[in-house]
């Protein structure tokens, strides 16, 4: 859980009006030096709109602080994956990993709850939609140690028992992406989009894509997320870069191959023509109207998810961890800038995975990133490594990118991912040295 630090005597207010104009029931005096746990926050004019963990006088939990009088604790996050990672393979591993993260100074966990067409929590919704026995799960290389476990419940239990107070964000990592061998593809074939030329469900990255325009897909997603928010004590839901419609495959030379553009099955084309009166996009996969229409269908699903979360639990946030905006819009039809401006997302964790400091700086200095930072908590995602094991990032670059993030007063940072940060690191370092250096970065409280 994050905290807000009170720098001087100030009022927690029911509105952004001057405190002198408010009566005693509309404000509560908070003394300098106080640190209050908060569930969420965003900037509004010269104030922070805050939802506290506990009520403050007659104002309650939701109210406003004048921004010059307070500072918000830095978000220090890490993604916990089921792929290429050991931390989730047993409850003992999970306990040891969380203890290590707490001792190092982390406060936010992005825990995978959906990957490879499989859920890592108890879900009646998923059970009603598809069956996933162990033999079928072998086909998608799902780690056998994870089958049948409720990882979300396990991590919540450890967090509460040990009083770690991590923010726990349920991360729907694979989004609309599902491997071709997943049971969901075979059992719900009408739910998936088709490519333009190849007329199959496999996109340019070798995966299938759920159709956000399909009413049953929308119902599945909304119901799945409602189930998590209702049944688990979490701080938020996160969608990431795979919550997307592939518009084209980017080739190594920078050109785009529209043969892999998704959404050309008859259901979607007929719906598009019915709603727009346009010609079929089959003859022109680059048709601008079709691109915009598909982009809006994805936005409509985000709206449904946001409304569902808020109806179930108002202080549960919707976070998103997309690619930088240009690529996200052009390749994935995911316009996170529009979502942020509409108030649909309450935390941006931007995947700024760059191999040098200069290109990293260019991404976080872009105007849309600065604009988001001034409104909602904007976290910079920093790459610590990918599989295979030889693709690990040296600590000097991790440290430099963390420092660049702090210097620009972002809400914080998140490392992708636990294993490449703390377990499978470059051979030029030892785990003990890595932990020592990381502890030095995280040793003191940081506020933004």
């Amino acid at each position: 859980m994050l905290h807000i630090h009170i720098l001087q005597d100030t009022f927690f207010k029911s509105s952004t009006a001057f405190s002198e104009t408010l009566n005693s029931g509309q404000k509560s005096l908070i003394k300098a030096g106080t640190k209050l746990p908060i569930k969420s926050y965003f900037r509004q004019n010269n104030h922070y709109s805050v939802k506290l963990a506990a009520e403050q006088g007659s104002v309650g939990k939701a109210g406003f602080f004048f921004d010059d009088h307070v500072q918000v604790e830095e978000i220090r996050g890490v993604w916990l994956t089921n792929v290429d990672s050991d931390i989730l393979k047993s409850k003992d591993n999970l306990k040891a990993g969380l203890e290590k993260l707490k001792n190092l100074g982390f406060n936010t966990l992005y825990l995978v709850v959906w990957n490879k067409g499989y859920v890592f929590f108890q879900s009646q919704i998923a059970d009603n939609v598809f069956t996933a026995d162990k033999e079928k799960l072998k086909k998608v290389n799902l780690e056998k140690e994870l089958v049948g476990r409720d990882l979300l419940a396990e991590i919540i239990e450890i967090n509460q028992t040990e009083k770690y107070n991590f923010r726990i964000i349920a991360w729907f990592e694979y989004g609309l992406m599902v491997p071709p061998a997943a049971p969901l593809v075979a059992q719900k074939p009408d739910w998936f989009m088709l490519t333009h030329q190849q007329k199959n469900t496999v996109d340019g990255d070798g995966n299938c894509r759920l159709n956000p325009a399909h009413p049953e897909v929308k119902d599945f997603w909304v119901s799945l997320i409602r189930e998590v928010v209702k049944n688990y004590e979490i701080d938020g839901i996160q969608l990431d870069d795979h919550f997307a419609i592939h518009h084209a495959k980017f080739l190594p030379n920078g050109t785009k191959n529209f043969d892999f553009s998704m959404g050309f099955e008859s259901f979607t084309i007929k719906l598009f023509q019915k709603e727009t009166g346009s010609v079929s996009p089959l003859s022109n996969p680059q048709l601008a109207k079709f691109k915009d229409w598909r982009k809006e269908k994805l936005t409509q699903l985000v709206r449904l998810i946001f409304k569902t979360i808020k109806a179930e639990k108002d202080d549960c946030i919707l976070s998103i961890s997309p690619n930088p905006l240009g690529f996200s819009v052009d390749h994935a039809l995911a316009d996170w800038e529009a979502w942020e401006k509409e108030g649909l997302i309450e935390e941006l964790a931007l995947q700024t995975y760059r191999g040098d400091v200069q290109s990293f700086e260019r991404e976080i200095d872009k105007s849309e990133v600065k604009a988001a930072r001034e409104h909602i908590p904007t976290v910079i995602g920093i790459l610590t490594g990918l599989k295979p094991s030889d693709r690990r990032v040296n600590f000097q670059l991790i440290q430099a990118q963390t420092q660049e993030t702090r210097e620009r007063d972002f809400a914080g940072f998140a490392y992708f991912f636990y294993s490449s940060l703390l377990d499978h690191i470059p051979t030029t370092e030892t785990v003990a040295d890595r932990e020592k250096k990381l502890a030095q970065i995280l040793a003191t409280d940081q506020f933004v």
Side-chain angles (χ1 to χ4, degrees):
M1 189 172 293
L2 299 179
H3 291 79
I4 193 163
H5 182 199
I6 310 303
L7 301 177
Q8 64 185 72
D9 290 357
T10 192
F11 286 102
F12 183 53
K13 307 180 294 182
S14 60
S15 76
T16 58
F18 289 112
S19 57
E20 308 90 73
T21 66
L22 302 175
N23 61 45
S24 58
Q26 297 172 309
K27 59 186 178 183
S28 180
L29 180 65
I30 310 294
K31 290 291 187 178
T34 303
K35 287 173 65 175
L36 298 172
I38 62 175
K39 300 288 286 185
S40 63
Y41 74 95
F42 65 89
R43 294 181 186 270
Q44 184 172 331
N45 299 324
N46 295 323
H47 288 76
Y48 282 108
S49 175
V50 176
K51 291 178 182 175
L52 301 174
E55 293 185 353
Q56 289 294 318
S58 57
V59 180
K61 294 183 179 180
F64 298 87
F65 284 108
F66 185 58
D67 59 3
D68 281 350
H69 295 175
V70 298
Q71 289 179 316
V72 180
E73 183 182 4
E74 173 185 72
I75 294 172
R76 301 167 172 187
V78 62
W79 278 281
L80 305 183
T81 70
N82 62 295
V83 177
D84 197 30
S85 188
D86 298 328
I87 185 174
L88 302 183
K89 288 187 176 180
S90 73
K91 196 167 183 180
D92 286 341
N93 285 12
L94 193 52
K95 287 179 178 178
L98 295 194
E99 181 179 12
K100 182 184 293 186
L101 289 172
K102 182 63 178 180
N103 290 338
L104 287 171
F106 286 91
N107 57 29
T108 298
L109 307 176
Y110 300 103
L111 174 69
V112 59
V113 296
W114 165 260
N115 182 294
K116 298 182 180 179
Y118 187 75
V119 294
F120 301 110
F121 58 94
Q122 291 297 315
S123 174
Q124 190 61 54
I125 299 300
D127 289 345
N128 290 342
V129 169
F130 64 92
T131 57
D133 58 47
K134 291 185 179 181
E135 288 304 312
K136 291 177 179 176
L137 294 173
K138 285 181 182 178
K139 295 180 180 180
V140 295
N141 297 318
L142 187 71
E143 296 74 8
K144 61 182 181 180
E145 299 91 343
L146 307 182
V147 177
R149 286 173 59 199
D150 188 339
L151 294 178
L152 189 51
E154 289 180 20
I155 203 168
I156 290 171
E157 178 190 354
I158 296 169
N159 193 42
Q160 293 177 343
T161 301
E162 301 298 330
K163 296 181 171 57
Y164 288 151
N165 292 320
F166 287 116
R167 294 169 73 229
I168 297 177
I169 310 295
W171 171 39
F172 284 77
E173 181 188 4
Y174 260 42
L176 300 178
M177 185 174 78
V178 182
L184 184 59
V185 177
Q187 295 169 31
K188 295 291 183 180
D190 293 341
W191 285 15
F192 291 88
M193 293 180 284
L194 293 178
T195 58
H196 177 246
Q197 290 291 346
Q198 295 187 349
K199 292 301 178 84
N200 62 41
T201 57
V202 179
D203 67 11
D205 294 327
N207 289 285
C208 303
R209 297 278 167 172
L210 287 160
N211 186 352
H214 197 294
E216 292 180 6
V217 171
K218 290 190 286 187
D219 183 65
F220 172 69
W221 265 96
V222 167
S223 299
L224 203 63
I225 288 174
R226 180 187 293 113
E227 188 177 44
V228 175
V229 176
K230 181 178 180 179
N231 294 341
Y232 294 89
E233 287 297 320
I234 59 172
D235 296 282
I237 295 289
Q238 186 177 83
L239 310 174
D240 79 352
D241 61 315
H242 297 306
F243 194 81
I245 304 172
H246 274 202
H247 178 54
K249 180 177 176 61
F250 278 72
L251 300 175
N253 61 7
T255 61
K256 289 175 277 188
N257 185 343
F258 285 92
D259 289 351
F260 293 97
S261 185
M262 303 294 288
F264 290 87
E265 62 290 329
S266 60
F267 171 85
T268 301
I269 291 175
K270 289 178 181 177
L271 184 62
F272 167 69
Q273 291 181 297
K274 178 182 177 181
E275 292 186 355
T276 66
S278 182
V279 298
S280 170
L282 283 173
S283 60
N284 179 14
Q286 302 183 56
L287 185 66
K289 183 178 286 189
F290 189 50
K291 176 183 177 180
D292 291 342
W293 181 85
R294 284 176 294 166
K295 184 170 64 176
E296 176 58 24
K297 288 302 175 186
L298 192 63
T299 296
Q300 288 174 8
L301 182 52
V302 174
R303 288 191 189 107
L304 279 175
I305 291 170
F306 177 79
K307 291 176 181 177
T308 298
I309 293 171
K310 294 306 167 185
E312 199 64 51
K313 192 180 297 180
D314 188 55
D315 59 10
C316 183
I317 69 165
L318 177 57
S319 171
I320 185 167
S321 55
N323 282 301
L325 185 64
F327 185 88
S328 183
V329 172
D330 201 21
H331 179 57
L333 302 186
D335 190 352
W336 57 257
E337 181 183 37
W339 301 347
E340 189 276 321
K341 288 180 177 180
E342 192 176 330
L344 299 177
I345 57 175
E346 299 161 293
E347 177 189 89
L348 173 66
L350 186 66
Q351 294 185 27
T352 318
Y353 302 159
R354 297 294 182 269
D356 60 80
V357 175
Q358 292 73 28
S359 58
F360 179 86
E361 288 179 309
R362 285 195 294 271
E363 290 297 339
I364 65 176
D365 284 338
K366 287 183 176 178
S367 59
E368 63 269 16
V369 182
K370 291 180 179 179
R373 181 187 62 189
E374 294 305 312
H375 182 218
I376 61 174
T378 298
V379 177
I380 300 303
I382 296 173
L383 183 66
T384 57
L386 294 170
K387 61 183 305 183
S389 59
D390 61 349
R391 294 185 64 192
R392 304 302 184 195
V393 179
N394 70 72
F395 195 79
Q396 185 177 4
L397 180 58
I398 295 170
Q399 185 175 23
Q401 293 182 345
T402 302
Q403 184 60 33
E404 293 298 332
T405 299
R406 280 177 163 168
E407 288 180 359
R408 288 162 174 77
D409 204 30
F410 282 99
F413 51 88
Y415 296 129
F416 185 85
F417 56 108
Y418 177 92
S419 183
S420 59
L421 178 68
L422 290 166
D423 287 344
H424 304 294
I425 63 176
T427 56
T428 54
E429 302 177 52
T430 67
V431 172
D433 287 342
R434 167 69 63 101
E435 290 182 14
K436 182 178 179 181
K437 294 174 183 177
L438 191 58
Q440 291 173 347
I441 291 179
L442 305 176
T444 57
D445 287 343
Q446 290 284 327
F447 293 87
V448 294

